[in-house]
Amino acid sequence: MKKILITGITSYVGTSLEKWLEKFPTRYSIDSISLRNDSWKEQDFSKYDVVFHVAGVAHVSTDPRMEETYYKVNRDLTIDTAEKAKAEGVKQFIFMSSIIVYGDSSNNKRVIDKNTVPTPSNFYGNSKLQAEEGLKLLDDDEFKVVILRPPMIYGKGSKGNYSKLSKAAQILPLFPDINNERSMLHIDNLCEFIRLMVDNEERGFFFPQNSEYVNTSKLVRLIAEAHGKKIKLTKVFNPAIKVMGLRLGIVNKVFGNLVYEKKMSTYKNHYQIRDLRETIEMTEKKR
């Protein structure tokens, strides 16, 4: 049985993974802790095979007053946790980084491949990248470090841009018809991928994503359909959106292009267990 410690007791990904692994009660034992104060330093890590580190500041902020917090939590706390795990004999450390280390989405088609150099555009992305760099120094045969760089994660209960699109899809009669592509990752596909990382005792960088790229306009239409509503896609707003996209970052967040080359996300075991339509129906289904 693999014994797993999840850092970050309120994390959406962490709590989702715990529920996912509970389906295999004879194979995994899971505990979770908070790192909000220094009491975690007194915890005994030696009884765990794996530490899954998701504690951190998750939202993107441009407030300069937040910069120190990002580096303190996303970089320093990550490295401190990994150093403790290694010193106490943990065999594998899995870190949730992000596609954000490659910078923002673009008006034009943007495909990230294995040769793409990370160029974070804000201190959220830079704090994640610096944490990765610190973790790489700790990696060895006895302490295997896994760094995940997922794209936008979504699922029932998720926050962020997906939830905003969901609300829009349920109330708007019209939505812009924009031709863009985004990599996304449903929470179930991610949890299955993490499970495989543990089972296979992996190390290195990984780039999980759904099997399909996502077009924002078609995504909104799928969400509307899941609620029994019809939404008309129209190109009438496209000229204005194109102009605004040059000035407003929020437009690029919604309609920009940012995908991983699909070969980067292939794995020896099947983890993309949900297709796009299924994940939307599951996410939007009322409890």
Side-chain angles (χ1 to χ4, degrees), residues 46-282:
S46 66
K47 57 186 176 181
Y48 298 105
D49 301 296
V50 181
V51 170
F52 178 55
H53 184 71
V54 282
V57 184
H59 63 282
V60 178
S61 173
T62 57
D63 185 347
R65 294 173 296 181
M66 286 290 294
E67 183 170 5
E68 182 179 354
T69 299
Y70 274 86
Y71 289 108
K72 183 177 180 181
V73 176
N74 288 351
R75 178 193 62 194
D76 299 343
L77 184 61
T78 297
I79 295 170
D80 288 348
T81 306
E83 287 177 340
K84 175 178 171 63
K86 182 172 184 176
E88 296 185 14
V90 174
K91 299 173 185 176
Q92 187 185 43
F93 188 89
I94 303 176
F95 174 57
M96 283 291 293
S97 188
S98 170
I99 196 173
I100 199 70
V101 300
Y102 293 103
D104 296 326
S105 53
S106 168
N107 282 327
N108 302 313
K109 186 169 183 177
R110 186 172 180 215
V111 180
I112 296 169
D113 61 29
K114 295 231 173 180
N115 296 317
T116 303
V117 177
T119 53
S121 59
N122 51 52
F123 39 77
Y124 171 64
N126 198 40
S127 66
K128 286 287 191 180
L129 183 61
Q130 290 188 21
E132 291 181 7
E133 291 168 349
L135 292 177
K136 285 190 293 184
L137 299 176
L138 298 174
D139 176 77
D140 59 33
D141 290 341
E142 301 300 320
F143 185 71
K144 297 178 178 180
V145 174
V146 171
I147 295 174
L148 305 179
R149 289 179 178 170
M152 185 177 84
I153 298 164
Y154 69 102
K156 183 169 285 294
S158 64
K159 299 178 181 179
N161 289 334
Y162 179 89
S163 63
K164 295 174 184 176
L165 287 174
S166 177
K167 290 176 183 177
Q170 295 176 58
I171 61 174
L172 295 178
L174 300 173
F175 195 81
D177 188 1
I178 302 290
N179 185 26
N180 74 319
E181 284 186 330
R182 304 296 295 259
S183 287
M184 291 176 60
L185 181 61
H186 185 257
I187 188 65
D188 286 359
N189 291 339
L190 172 59
C191 288
E192 179 63 7
F193 189 80
I194 296 167
R195 189 181 72 83
L196 293 170
M197 294 290 99
V198 172
D199 280 2
N200 295 331
E201 300 180 355
E202 292 284 7
R203 66 195 289 193
F205 286 84
F206 297 89
F207 313 86
Q209 65 176 327
N210 288 348
S211 59
E212 306 142 281
Y213 293 150
V214 178
N215 171 274
T216 302
S217 303
K218 292 179 180 178
L219 172 64
V220 168
R221 186 166 62 187
L222 281 174
I223 294 171
E225 290 174 357
H227 289 275
K229 300 179 181 295
K230 289 187 177 181
I231 191 167
K232 184 178 180 181
L233 302 181
T234 175
K235 296 184 182 293
V236 69
F237 305 115
N238 290 22
I241 289 173
K242 186 175 182 180
V243 172
M244 286 191 297
L246 299 174
R247 301 178 182 179
L248 301 176
I250 187 64
V251 175
N252 270 338
K253 284 184 179 180
V254 177
F255 296 109
N257 294 270
L258 186 63
V259 299
Y260 280 129
E261 181 186 54
K262 290 192 176 181
K263 288 181 180 179
M264 288 179 69
S265 302
T266 57
Y267 188 61
K268 59 188 176 184
N269 300 119
H270 180 61
Y271 70 92
Q272 296 162 328
I273 57 175
R274 315 275 190 220
D275 63 26
L276 180 61
R277 181 175 290 276
E278 181 185 9
T279 65
I280 300 305
E281 291 174 351
M282 292 176 62

